[in-house]
Amino acid sequence: MPQVQRNEVRCRAGPSRVRPYLGGRVKITIDVDKCIGSGSCEMIAPGIFEVGNDGLVQLLNDSPSAEDHSAARTAAASCPTQVISVDD
Ligand code: SF4
């Protein structure tokens, strides 16, 4: 297994694509009008997303720290309507 340096993360595209880990914060945005309230984002990243009483997602933290970036990206990828954006 190839070694990954501590300051790098591997892209899901494969081992040939390595992007530097910048250690900064990400910016999360949601197109709430297209949310169907499935709750998968909340299950994956409960500190960032929450489905409110109105059945729509609420963003609890739009700029999570580094340890929550992976969960935020996984939640975005799992959203059935693809309404979550996580930008560097
Ligand atoms: S996963 Fe997507 S559709 Fe489901 S509650 Fe979250 S934002 Fe809404």
Side-chain angles (χ1 to χ4, degrees):
M1 175 182 239
Q3 291 221 332
V4 178
Q5 294 185 5
R6 287 186 68 185
N7 63 345
E8 294 179 332
V9 292
R10 289 208 177 268
C11 174
R12 279 195 218 157
S16 64
R17 291 189 175 188
V18 177
R19 63 187 167 100
Y21 173 60
L22 302 177
R25 291 190 172 249
V26 294
K27 181 70 175 174
I28 300 174
T29 54
I30 304 175
D31 184 352
V32 178
D33 291 341
K34 296 178 182 171
C35 173
I36 60 172
S38 69
S40 61
C41 58
E42 181 180 353
M43 286 190 287
I44 294 168
I48 301 173
F49 307 99
E50 181 178 87
V51 178
N53 292 334
D54 60 359
L56 300 174
V57 69
Q58 296 176 354
L59 191 53
L60 303 177
N61 183 354
D62 70 352
S63 185
S65 56
E67 63 262 20
D68 291 329
H69 290 181
S70 178
R73 292 185 196 285
T74 300
S78 71
C79 174
T81 52
Q82 296 292 291
V83 299
I84 302 171
S85 297
V86 181
D87 299 309
D88 293 320

Coordinates of all heavy atoms in Angstrom, one line a residue:
M1 N 0.8 -1.2 0.0 CA 0.0 0.0 0.0 C 0.9 1.2 0.0 O 1.8 1.4 0.8 CB -0.9 0.0 1.2 CG -1.7 1.2 1.4 SD -2.7 1.1 2.9 CE -4.3 1.2 2.2
P2 N 0.6 2.2 -0.9 CA 1.5 3.4 -1.0 C 1.3 4.2 0.3 O 0.2 4.3 0.8 CB 1.0 4.1 -2.2 CG -0.3 3.5 -2.5 CD -0.4 2.1 -1.9
Q3 N 2.4 4.9 0.7 CA 2.3 5.7 1.9 C 1.7 7.1 1.5 O 1.9 7.6 0.5 CB 3.7 5.9 2.4 CG 4.2 4.6 3.0 CD 5.0 4.9 4.3 OE1 5.5 6.0 4.5 NE2 5.0 3.9 5.2
V4 N 0.9 7.6 2.4 CA 0.3 8.9 2.3 C 1.0 9.8 3.3 O 1.0 9.5 4.5 CB -1.2 8.9 2.5 CG1 -1.8 10.3 2.4 CG2 -1.9 8.0 1.5
Q5 N 1.5 11.0 2.8 CA 2.1 11.9 3.8 C 1.0 12.5 4.6 O -0.1 12.6 4.2 CB 2.9 13.0 3.0 CG 4.0 12.4 2.3 CD 4.9 13.5 1.6 OE1 4.6 14.6 1.8 NE2 5.9 13.0 0.8
R6 N 1.4 12.9 5.8 CA 0.5 13.4 6.8 C -0.3 14.6 6.3 O -1.4 14.8 6.7 CB 1.2 13.8 8.1 CG 1.6 12.5 8.9 CD 2.2 12.9 10.2 NE 1.1 13.5 11.0 CZ 1.3 14.0 12.2 NH1 2.5 14.0 12.7 NH2 0.3 14.4 12.9
N7 N 0.3 15.4 5.5 CA -0.4 16.6 5.0 C -1.1 16.5 3.7 O -1.4 17.5 3.0 CB 0.6 17.8 5.0 CG 1.7 17.6 3.9 OD1 1.8 16.5 3.5 ND2 2.4 18.6 3.6
E8 N -1.4 15.2 3.4 CA -2.1 15.0 2.1 C -3.3 14.1 2.4 O -3.3 13.3 3.3 CB -1.2 14.3 1.1 CG 0.0 15.1 0.6 CD 0.8 14.4 -0.4 OE1 0.8 13.1 -0.3 OE2 1.4 15.0 -1.2
V9 N -4.3 14.3 1.5 CA -5.5 13.4 1.5 C -5.6 12.9 0.1 O -5.4 13.5 -0.8 CB -6.8 14.0 2.0 CG1 -6.7 14.4 3.5 CG2 -7.1 15.2 1.2
R10 N -6.1 11.6 0.0 CA -6.3 11.0 -1.3 C -7.7 11.4 -1.8 O -8.6 11.3 -1.1 CB -6.1 9.5 -1.2 CG -4.6 9.2 -1.0 CD -4.3 7.8 -1.6 NE -2.9 7.5 -1.5 CZ -2.0 7.8 -2.4 NH1 -2.4 8.4 -3.5 NH2 -0.8 7.5 -2.2
C11 N -7.7 11.7 -3.1 CA -9.0 12.0 -3.7 C -9.6 10.6 -4.0 O -9.0 9.6 -4.3 CB -8.7 12.8 -5.0 SG -10.2 13.0 -6.0
R12 N -11.0 10.6 -4.0 CA -11.7 9.4 -4.3 C -11.5 9.0 -5.7 O -11.8 7.8 -6.1 CB -13.2 9.6 -4.1 CG -13.6 9.5 -2.6 CD -15.1 9.3 -2.6 NE -15.5 10.1 -1.4 CZ -16.7 10.6 -1.3 NH1 -17.6 10.4 -2.2 NH2 -17.1 11.2 -0.2
A13 N -11.0 9.9 -6.6 CA -10.8 9.5 -8.0 C -9.8 8.4 -8.2 O -9.8 7.8 -9.2 CB -10.5 10.7 -8.8
G14 N -8.9 8.2 -7.2 CA -8.0 7.1 -7.3 C -6.6 7.6 -6.8 O -6.4 8.7 -6.5
P15 N -5.7 6.6 -6.7 CA -4.4 6.9 -6.1 C -3.5 7.8 -6.9 O -2.6 8.3 -6.4 CB -3.8 5.5 -5.9 CG -4.5 4.6 -6.9 CD -5.9 5.2 -7.0
S16 N -3.8 8.0 -8.2 CA -3.0 8.8 -9.0 C -3.3 10.3 -8.7 O -2.5 11.2 -9.1 CB -3.1 8.5 -10.4 OG -4.4 8.8 -10.8
R17 N -4.4 10.6 -8.1 CA -4.8 12.0 -7.8 C -4.6 12.3 -6.3 O -5.4 11.8 -5.5 CB -6.2 12.3 -8.3 CG -6.3 12.2 -9.7 CD -7.7 12.7 -10.1 NE -7.8 12.8 -11.6 CZ -8.8 13.3 -12.2 NH1 -9.8 13.8 -11.5 NH2 -8.9 13.3 -13.5
V18 N -3.7 13.1 -6.0 CA -3.5 13.5 -4.6 C -3.5 15.0 -4.6 O -2.9 15.7 -5.3 CB -2.1 13.0 -4.1 CG1 -1.9 13.5 -2.7 CG2 -2.0 11.5 -4.2
R19 N -4.4 15.5 -3.7 CA -4.4 17.0 -3.6 C -3.9 17.4 -2.2 O -4.1 16.6 -1.2 CB -5.9 17.5 -3.8 CG -6.9 17.0 -2.8 CD -8.2 17.4 -3.3 NE -9.3 16.8 -2.6 CZ -9.9 17.3 -1.5 NH1 -9.7 18.5 -1.2 NH2 -10.8 16.6 -0.9
P20 N -3.3 18.5 -2.1 CA -2.8 18.9 -0.8 C -3.9 19.2 0.2 O -4.9 19.7 -0.2 CB -1.9 20.1 -1.1 CG -2.6 20.6 -2.4 CD -3.1 19.5 -3.1
Y21 N -3.7 18.8 1.4 CA -4.6 19.2 2.5 C -4.2 20.6 3.0 O -3.1 20.8 3.5 CB -4.5 18.2 3.6 CG -5.4 18.6 4.8 CD1 -6.7 18.8 4.6 CD2 -4.8 18.8 6.0 CE1 -7.5 19.2 5.7 CE2 -5.6 19.2 7.1 CZ -6.9 19.4 6.9 OH -7.7 19.9 8.0
L22 N -5.1 21.5 2.8 CA -4.7 22.9 3.1 C -5.0 23.2 4.6 O -4.6 24.3 5.1 CB -5.5 23.9 2.2 CG -5.2 23.6 0.7 CD1 -6.1 24.5 -0.1 CD2 -3.8 23.8 0.4
G23 N -5.8 22.4 5.3 CA -6.0 22.6 6.7 C -7.0 23.7 7.0 O -7.2 24.0 8.2
G24 N -7.5 24.3 6.0 CA -8.4 25.4 6.3 C -9.9 25.0 6.5 O -10.1 23.8 6.7
R25 N -10.8 25.9 6.5 CA -12.2 25.5 6.7 C -12.8 25.4 5.3 O -12.3 26.0 4.4 CB -12.8 26.6 7.6 CG -12.4 26.5 9.0 CD -13.2 27.4 9.9 NE -12.8 27.1 11.3 CZ -13.5 26.5 12.2 NH1 -14.7 26.0 11.8 NH2 -13.1 26.2 13.4
V26 N -13.9 24.7 5.3 CA -14.7 24.6 4.1 C -16.0 25.5 4.3 O -16.3 25.9 5.4 CB -15.1 23.2 3.8 CG1 -13.9 22.3 3.5 CG2 -15.9 22.6 5.0
K27 N -16.6 25.8 3.2 CA -17.9 26.5 3.2 C -19.0 25.6 2.7 O -18.9 25.1 1.6 CB -17.7 27.8 2.3 CG -18.9 28.6 2.3 CD -19.1 29.3 3.7 CE -20.3 30.3 3.6 NZ -20.6 30.9 4.9
I28 N -20.0 25.4 3.5 CA -21.1 24.6 3.2 C -22.3 25.4 2.8 O -22.6 26.4 3.5 CB -21.5 23.6 4.3 CG1 -20.3 22.8 4.7 CG2 -22.7 22.8 4.0 CD1 -20.5 21.9 5.9
T29 N -22.9 25.1 1.7 CA -24.2 25.8 1.3 C -25.2 24.7 1.0 O -24.8 23.6 0.5 CB -24.0 26.8 0.2 OG1 -23.4 26.1 -0.9 CG2 -23.1 27.9 0.6
I30 N -26.4 25.0 1.1 CA -27.5 24.1 0.8 C -28.6 24.8 0.1 O -29.0 26.0 0.4 CB -28.2 23.5 2.1 CG1 -27.1 22.9 3.0 CG2 -29.3 22.5 1.8 CD1 -27.7 22.4 4.3
D31 N -29.1 24.2 -1.0 CA -30.3 24.7 -1.7 C -31.5 24.1 -1.0 O -32.0 23.1 -1.4 CB -30.2 24.3 -3.2 CG -31.4 24.9 -4.0 OD1 -32.3 25.5 -3.4 OD2 -31.3 24.8 -5.2
V32 N -32.0 24.8 0.1 CA -33.0 24.2 0.9 C -34.3 24.0 0.2 O -35.1 23.0 0.5 CB -33.2 25.1 2.1 CG1 -34.3 24.6 3.0 CG2 -32.0 25.2 3.0
D33 N -34.5 24.8 -0.9 CA -35.8 24.6 -1.6 C -35.9 23.2 -2.3 O -37.0 22.8 -2.6 CB -35.9 25.7 -2.7 CG -36.1 27.1 -2.1 OD1 -36.5 27.1 -1.0 OD2 -35.9 28.0 -2.8
K34 N -34.8 22.5 -2.5 CA -34.8 21.2 -3.1 C -34.6 20.1 -2.1 O -34.5 18.9 -2.5 CB -33.7 21.2 -4.2 CG -34.0 22.2 -5.3 CD -32.9 22.1 -6.4 CE -33.1 23.1 -7.5 NZ -32.0 23.3 -8.4
C35 N -34.5 20.4 -0.8 CA -34.4 19.4 0.2 C -35.7 18.6 0.3 O -36.8 19.2 0.3 CB -34.0 20.0 1.5 SG -34.1 18.9 3.0
I36 N -35.6 17.3 0.5 CA -36.8 16.5 0.6 C -36.9 15.9 2.1 O -37.7 15.0 2.3 CB -36.9 15.3 -0.4 CG1 -35.6 14.4 -0.3 CG2 -37.0 15.9 -1.8 CD1 -35.7 13.1 -1.1
G37 N -35.9 16.3 2.9 CA -36.0 15.9 4.3 C -35.7 14.5 4.6 O -36.2 13.9 5.6
S38 N -34.9 13.9 3.8 CA -34.5 12.5 4.0 C -33.8 12.2 5.3 O -33.9 11.1 5.9 CB -33.7 11.9 2.8 OG -32.4 12.5 2.8
G39 N -33.0 13.2 5.7 CA -32.3 13.1 7.0 C -31.0 12.4 6.9 O -30.3 12.2 7.9
S40 N -30.5 12.0 5.7 CA -29.3 11.2 5.6 C -28.1 12.1 6.0 O -27.1 11.7 6.7 CB -29.1 10.6 4.3 OG -29.0 11.6 3.3
C41 N -28.2 13.4 5.7 CA -27.1 14.3 6.1 C -27.0 14.4 7.6 O -25.9 14.4 8.2 CB -27.3 15.7 5.5 SG -28.8 16.5 5.9
E42 N -28.1 14.5 8.3 CA -28.1 14.6 9.7 C -27.5 13.3 10.4 O -26.8 13.4 11.4 CB -29.5 14.8 10.2 CG -29.6 14.9 11.7 CD -31.0 15.2 12.2 OE1 -31.9 15.4 11.4 OE2 -31.2 15.2 13.5
M43 N -27.9 12.2 9.8 CA -27.4 10.9 10.3 C -25.8 10.8 10.2 O -25.1 10.3 11.1 CB -28.0 9.7 9.6 CG -29.4 9.5 10.1 SD -30.1 7.9 9.4 CE -30.3 8.3 7.7
I44 N -25.3 11.4 9.1 CA -23.9 11.3 8.9 C -23.1 12.4 9.6 O -22.0 12.1 10.1 CB -23.6 11.4 7.3 CG1 -24.2 10.1 6.7 CG2 -22.1 11.5 7.0 CD1 -24.3 10.2 5.2
A45 N -23.6 13.6 9.6 CA -23.0 14.7 10.3 C -23.9 15.5 11.1 O -24.3 16.6 10.8 CB -22.3 15.6 9.2
P46 N -24.3 14.9 12.3 CA -25.3 15.6 13.1 C -24.9 16.9 13.7 O -25.8 17.7 14.1 CB -25.6 14.5 14.2 CG -24.3 13.7 14.3 CD -23.8 13.7 12.9
G47 N -23.6 17.2 13.8 CA -23.2 18.5 14.3 C -23.3 19.6 13.2 O -23.1 20.8 13.5
I48 N -23.5 19.2 12.0 CA -23.5 20.2 10.9 C -24.9 20.3 10.3 O -25.3 21.5 10.0 CB -22.6 19.7 9.8 CG1 -21.2 19.6 10.3 CG2 -22.6 20.7 8.6 CD1 -20.2 19.0 9.4
F49 N -25.7 19.2 10.2 CA -27.0 19.3 9.6 C -28.1 18.8 10.6 O -27.8 17.9 11.4 CB -27.0 18.4 8.4 CG -25.9 18.6 7.4 CD1 -24.8 17.9 7.3 CD2 -26.1 19.7 6.5 CE1 -23.8 18.1 6.4 CE2 -25.1 20.0 5.5 CZ -23.9 19.2 5.5
E50 N -29.2 19.3 10.5 CA -30.4 18.9 11.3 C -31.6 19.1 10.5 O -31.8 20.2 9.9 CB -30.4 19.7 12.6 CG -31.5 19.3 13.5 CD -31.5 20.0 14.8 OE1 -32.1 21.1 14.9 OE2 -30.8 19.6 15.8
V51 N -32.5 18.1 10.5 CA -33.8 18.3 9.9 C -34.7 18.9 10.9 O -34.9 18.3 12.0 CB -34.3 16.9 9.3 CG1 -35.7 17.1 8.7 CG2 -33.4 16.4 8.3
G52 N -35.3 20.0 10.6 CA -36.1 20.8 11.5 C -37.6 20.2 11.5 O -37.9 19.3 10.8
N53 N -38.4 20.8 12.4 CA -39.8 20.4 12.5 C -40.6 20.6 11.2 O -41.6 20.0 11.0 CB -40.4 21.2 13.6 CG -39.9 20.8 15.0 OD1 -39.4 19.7 15.1 ND2 -40.0 21.7 15.9
D54 N -40.0 21.5 10.3 CA -40.7 21.8 9.0 C -40.3 20.7 8.0 O -40.8 20.8 6.9 CB -40.4 23.2 8.5 CG -38.9 23.4 8.3 OD1 -38.1 22.4 8.6 OD2 -38.5 24.5 7.9
G55 N -39.5 19.7 8.4 CA -39.1 18.7 7.5 C -38.0 19.1 6.5 O -37.7 18.3 5.6
L56 N -37.4 20.2 6.7 CA -36.3 20.7 5.9 C -35.0 20.8 6.6 O -35.0 21.0 7.9 CB -36.6 22.0 5.2 CG -37.9 22.1 4.4 CD1 -38.2 23.5 4.0 CD2 -37.8 21.2 3.2
V57 N -33.9 20.6 5.9 CA -32.6 20.7 6.6 C -32.3 22.1 7.1 O -32.7 23.1 6.5 CB -31.5 20.2 5.6 CG1 -31.3 21.2 4.5 CG2 -30.2 19.9 6.3
Q58 N -31.6 22.1 8.2 CA -31.1 23.3 8.7 C -29.6 23.1 8.9 O -29.1 22.1 9.3 CB -31.7 23.6 10.1 CG -33.1 23.9 10.1 CD -33.8 24.1 11.4 OE1 -33.1 23.9 12.5 NE2 -35.0 24.4 11.5
L59 N -28.8 24.2 8.5 CA -27.4 24.1 8.6 C -26.9 24.7 9.9 O -27.1 25.8 10.2 CB -26.8 25.0 7.4 CG -25.3 24.9 7.2 CD1 -24.8 23.4 7.0 CD2 -25.0 25.7 5.9
L60 N -26.4 23.8 10.8 CA -26.0 24.2 12.1 C -24.6 24.8 12.1 O -24.3 25.6 13.0 CB -26.0 22.9 13.0 CG -27.3 22.2 13.1 CD1 -27.1 20.9 14.0 CD2 -28.4 23.1 13.7
N61 N -23.8 24.4 11.1 CA -22.4 25.0 11.1 C -22.0 25.0 9.6 O -21.8 24.0 9.0 CB -21.5 24.0 11.9 CG -20.1 24.6 11.9 OD1 -19.7 25.5 11.3 ND2 -19.2 23.9 12.7
D62 N -21.9 26.2 9.1 CA -21.6 26.3 7.6 C -20.1 26.3 7.4 O -19.6 26.4 6.2 CB -22.2 27.5 7.0 CG -21.6 28.8 7.5 OD1 -20.8 28.8 8.4 OD2 -22.0 29.9 7.0
S63 N -19.3 26.3 8.4 CA -17.8 26.3 8.2 C -17.2 25.4 9.3 O -16.5 25.9 10.2 CB -17.3 27.7 8.4 OG -15.9 27.8 8.1
P64 N -17.4 24.1 9.2 CA -16.8 23.2 10.2 C -15.3 23.1 10.2 O -14.7 23.4 9.2 CB -17.5 21.9 9.9 CG -17.7 21.9 8.4 CD -18.1 23.4 8.1
S65 N -14.8 22.7 11.3 CA -13.3 22.5 11.4 C -12.9 21.3 10.7 O -13.7 20.4 10.3 CB -12.9 22.5 12.9 OG -13.6 21.5 13.6
A66 N -11.6 21.1 10.6 CA -11.0 20.1 9.7 C -11.5 18.7 10.0 O -11.7 17.9 9.1 CB -9.5 20.2 9.8
E67 N -11.7 18.4 11.3 CA -12.0 17.0 11.7 C -13.5 16.6 11.2 O -13.8 15.5 11.1 CB -11.9 16.8 13.2 CG -12.9 17.6 14.0 CD -12.2 18.8 14.6 OE1 -11.1 19.3 14.1 OE2 -12.7 19.4 15.6
D68 N -14.2 17.6 10.8 CA -15.6 17.4 10.3 C -15.7 17.5 8.8 O -16.8 17.3 8.3 CB -16.6 18.3 11.0 CG -16.8 18.0 12.4 OD1 -16.6 16.9 12.8 OD2 -17.0 19.0 13.2
H69 N -14.6 17.8 8.1 CA -14.7 17.9 6.6 C -15.1 16.6 6.0 O -16.0 16.6 5.0 CB -13.4 18.4 6.1 CG -13.0 19.8 6.4 ND1 -11.9 20.4 6.0 CD2 -13.7 20.7 7.2 CE1 -11.8 21.6 6.5 NE2 -12.9 21.8 7.2
S70 N -14.6 15.5 6.4 CA -14.9 14.3 5.8 C -16.4 13.9 5.9 O -17.0 13.5 5.0 CB -14.0 13.1 6.4 OG -14.4 11.9 5.8
A71 N -16.9 14.1 7.1 CA -18.3 13.9 7.3 C -19.2 14.8 6.5 O -20.2 14.4 5.9 CB -18.7 14.0 8.8
A72 N -18.8 16.0 6.4 CA -19.6 17.0 5.6 C -19.6 16.6 4.1 O -20.6 16.6 3.4 CB -19.0 18.4 5.7
R73 N -18.4 16.1 3.6 CA -18.4 15.7 2.2 C -19.2 14.4 2.0 O -19.8 14.2 1.0 CB -16.9 15.5 1.8 CG -16.2 16.8 1.7 CD -14.8 16.6 1.1 NE -13.9 17.8 1.4 CZ -14.0 18.9 0.8 NH1 -14.9 19.1 -0.2 NH2 -13.2 19.9 1.1
T74 N -19.1 13.5 2.9 CA -19.8 12.3 2.8 C -21.3 12.6 2.9 O -22.1 12.0 2.1 CB -19.5 11.3 4.0 OG1 -18.1 11.0 3.9 CG2 -20.3 10.0 3.9
A75 N -21.8 13.5 3.7 CA -23.2 13.9 3.8 C -23.6 14.5 2.4 O -24.7 14.2 1.9 CB -23.4 14.8 4.9
A76 N -22.8 15.3 1.9 CA -23.1 15.9 0.6 C -23.2 14.9 -0.5 O -24.2 14.9 -1.3 CB -22.0 17.0 0.2
A77 N -22.3 13.9 -0.5 CA -22.4 12.9 -1.5 C -23.6 12.0 -1.4 O -24.1 11.4 -2.3 CB -21.1 12.0 -1.5
S78 N -24.1 11.8 -0.1 CA -25.2 10.9 0.1 C -26.5 11.6 0.0 O -27.6 10.9 0.0 CB -25.1 10.3 1.5 OG -25.4 11.3 2.5
C79 N -26.6 12.9 -0.2 CA -27.8 13.6 -0.3 C -28.6 13.2 -1.6 O -28.0 13.3 -2.7 CB -27.6 15.1 -0.3 SG -29.1 16.1 -0.6
P80 N -29.8 12.6 -1.4 CA -30.5 12.1 -2.6 C -30.8 13.2 -3.7 O -31.0 12.8 -4.8 CB -31.8 11.5 -2.0 CG -31.9 12.1 -0.7 CD -30.6 12.5 -0.2
T81 N -30.9 14.4 -3.3 CA -31.2 15.5 -4.2 C -30.0 16.3 -4.6 O -30.1 17.3 -5.3 CB -32.3 16.4 -3.7 OG1 -32.0 16.9 -2.4 CG2 -33.6 15.6 -3.6
Q82 N -28.8 16.0 -4.0 CA -27.5 16.7 -4.3 C -27.6 18.2 -4.1 O -27.2 18.9 -5.0 CB -27.1 16.3 -5.7 CG -26.8 14.8 -5.9 CD -25.5 14.4 -5.1 OE1 -24.4 14.8 -5.4 NE2 -25.7 13.6 -4.0
V83 N -28.2 18.6 -3.0 CA -28.4 20.0 -2.7 C -27.3 20.6 -1.8 O -27.3 21.8 -1.5 CB -29.8 20.3 -2.2 CG1 -30.8 19.8 -3.2 CG2 -30.0 19.6 -0.8
I84 N -26.4 19.8 -1.3 CA -25.4 20.2 -0.4 C -24.1 20.5 -1.2 O -23.6 19.6 -1.9 CB -25.1 19.2 0.7 CG1 -26.4 18.9 1.5 CG2 -24.0 19.7 1.7 CD1 -26.3 17.8 2.5
S85 N -23.5 21.6 -1.0 CA -22.2 21.9 -1.6 C -21.2 22.2 -0.5 O -21.5 22.9 0.5 CB -22.3 23.2 -2.5 OG -23.2 23.0 -3.5
V86 N -20.0 21.6 -0.7 CA -18.9 21.7 0.3 C -17.7 22.3 -0.5 O -17.2 21.5 -1.4 CB -18.6 20.4 1.0 CG1 -17.4 20.7 2.0 CG2 -19.8 19.8 1.7
D87 N -17.4 23.5 -0.3 CA -16.4 24.1 -1.1 C -15.2 24.5 -0.3 O -15.3 25.0 0.8 CB -16.9 25.4 -1.8 CG -18.1 25.1 -2.7 OD1 -17.9 24.2 -3.6 OD2 -19.1 25.7 -2.6
D88 N -14.0 24.3 -0.8 CA -12.7 24.7 -0.1 C -12.6 26.2 -0.1 O -13.1 26.9 -1.0 CB -11.5 24.1 -0.8 CG -11.5 22.5 -0.7 OD1 -11.9 22.1 0.4 OD2 -11.2 21.9 -1.6
Ligands
SF4_1 S1 -29.7 14.6 2.7 FE1 -30.3 16.3 1.3 S2 -32.5 15.9 1.0 FE2 -31.9 14.8 2.8 S3 -32.3 16.2 4.6 FE3 -30.2 16.5 4.0 S4 -30.2 18.2 2.5 FE4 -32.3 17.4 2.7

